[in-house]
Amino acid sequence: MKATLLSAVLIAALSSGTAVAASVDVGGAAMYPEKNIVQNAVNSKDHTTLVAAVKAAGLVPTLEGKGPFTVFAPTNMAFDVLPAGTVENLLKPENKQQLVKVLTYHVVPGRYTKHDLENLIRKHGGQARLKTAEGGMLTLMMNGPQNIQIKDGTGGVADISTYDVIQKNGVIDVVDKVLLPK
C-alpha cells in the first residue's frame, strides 16, 4: 500500500513536471531538502559534536539563515581523532573566537554540488580553491574518478563521504576529518 501510494505521488509529480527532491539519510536520520542546515543536522547521530560546537559558537542563526552555504560537516569520528582535549578546550567560553574560526572554515558561501565541485576541479587543471566564510582557502582535488578530497590550511586532507545533502539554504557534504585553517 505504501509503495503504491509513493509510486503514485512520484508519477504525478514527474508527469506534472515538478521536481521531487528526495531526503538523504545521514547519521541515521533523514535530511529533508525543505529544512535548513541546522534543522537537519540536529537529527544526525553522527554530527552531535558539530551541532554542540555550532551552538557553543553562536552560529545557529547564521546557519539557519538564507544562505546559500556549502558546509563540509565533520563527523563525530572526525572530531574524535583530534588530539585529546582539543574539542573540550574549543568549547570553553573563553575560546569562542577560535571555535568560530574553525567552524566557519568548514563553510563556503554558495551552493556547490558534487557536480559543481568536479567541474571546478577540471576547469582549474586538477585542483580548485574555494574561499571559506572564515576567509581561508580550501583546496579540492579528485582522488580517483569518484572521490573528492579537501586539503586544509595545515595540509591535512579529508575525504567527502556523503555528497549533496540538499538543504533549503544550501548543501551539506559529510567529511571524515576536521578541516583546520592556517
Side-chain angles (χ1 to χ4, degrees):
M1 174 71 175
K2 286 182 184 179
T4 304
L5 180 58
L6 179 59
S7 296
V9 169
L10 287 173
I11 290 168
L14 292 173
S15 64
S16 70
T18 304
V20 176
S23 66
V24 175
D25 188 70
V26 176
M31 302 287 129
Y32 298 100
E34 66 274 7
K35 291 186 176 185
N36 68 47
I37 291 166
V38 175
Q39 289 170 325
N40 275 321
V42 297
N43 296 316
S44 170
K45 293 182 304 190
D46 291 343
H47 292 90
T48 56
T49 304
L50 177 61
V51 169
V54 166
K55 288 178 180 178
L59 293 173
V60 169
T62 301
L63 294 176
E64 287 180 332
K66 183 178 178 182
F69 308 107
T70 299
V71 177
F72 298 108
T75 62
N76 293 341
M77 288 177 54
F79 282 101
D80 289 346
V81 297
L82 291 173
T86 300
V87 173
E88 294 79 9
N89 198 35
L90 283 172
L91 292 175
K92 292 179 180 176
E94 62 268 22
N95 296 326
K96 182 177 177 179
Q97 188 173 7
Q98 182 65 27
L99 178 61
V100 168
K101 181 176 179 161
V102 169
L103 293 175
T104 56
Y105 190 67
H106 290 80
V107 179
V108 174
R111 181 185 298 260
Y112 292 94
T113 64
K114 181 181 184 193
H115 179 74
D116 297 328
L117 297 174
E118 288 171 336
N119 284 343
L120 283 171
I121 293 167
R122 275 193 292 278
K123 179 181 175 183
H124 295 284
Q127 289 191 347
R129 291 175 48 92
L130 293 175
K131 187 172 185 174
T132 70
E134 178 268 340
M137 299 298 286
L138 296 172
T139 302
L140 290 90
M141 60 219 142
M142 298 301 297
N143 180 27
Q146 298 297 318
N147 186 47
I148 296 173
Q149 291 184 314
I150 305 168
K151 185 186 294 185
D152 67 19
T154 67
V157 177
D159 285 301
I160 299 176
S161 59
T162 304
Y163 296 89
D164 297 346
V165 185
I166 304 300
Q167 316 290 298
K168 176 170 72 173
N169 61 343
V171 178
I172 293 176
D173 287 328
V174 178
V175 293
D176 66 350
K177 300 263 182 351
V178 175
L179 303 168
L180 298 172
K182 278 186 176 179

